[in-house]
Amino acid sequence: MRPLTYDVHFREQFTRIRNWGTGLLILTALLWGWCGIQLLTSHSVKQDLPEVLTVLWLSVAVGLVGTALFTTGAVSRRMSEYAQAMRQLEELEQESGERRAS
């Protein structure tokens, strides 16, 4: 596989991972919103509290996974872009060195 093709595939893969992380973080925010609404509008807080706490704990787990996926995807993509920029700078430096030598 050619380096450019590999880079494009790598970036697409980690963009998908970052997008999954974003989706999970949005889901976490929705779950927190639901918990807040339940606590503020519920007539019988004591009866609803176990359900709300269960959803809140679930949202913490979803948020942690979402954060890990988002961070992994964003950092990996950025490192790939950095590596490509460094390769291009090295190529430019080699070309300018060859021009000076001739």
Side-chain angles (χ1 to χ4, degrees):
M1 187 179 281
R2 299 178 71 196
L4 183 59
T5 306
Y6 178 78
D7 273 349
V8 169
H9 177 70
F10 182 84
R11 288 181 193 165
E12 287 173 354
Q13 176 184 359
F14 280 98
T15 298
R16 283 191 300 271
I17 290 173
R18 186 189 63 196
N19 292 342
W20 270 100
T22 302
L24 289 176
L25 290 173
I26 290 170
L27 177 61
T28 299
L30 292 173
L31 290 172
W32 286 356
W34 182 84
C35 288
I37 289 171
Q38 291 299 314
L39 290 174
L40 294 175
T41 62
S42 180
H43 298 291
S44 57
V45 172
K46 287 185 181 180
Q47 289 178 350
D48 292 341
L49 194 57
E51 179 183 357
V52 171
L53 288 177
T54 301
V55 171
L56 190 61
W57 279 109
L58 175 66
S59 71
V60 169
V62 171
L64 289 173
V65 171
T67 301
L69 288 176
F70 181 84
T71 303
T72 300
V75 169
S76 297
R77 182 176 168 86
R78 184 67 185 125
M79 289 303 295
S80 173
E81 291 170 355
Y82 173 77
Q84 181 183 7
M86 292 306 294
R87 281 192 302 271
Q88 289 174 346
L89 287 174
E90 287 175 359
E91 289 173 5
L92 288 174
E93 187 176 300
Q94 287 175 354
E95 288 175 7
S96 66
E98 290 172 1
R99 288 182 197 155
R100 289 182 198 146
S102 47

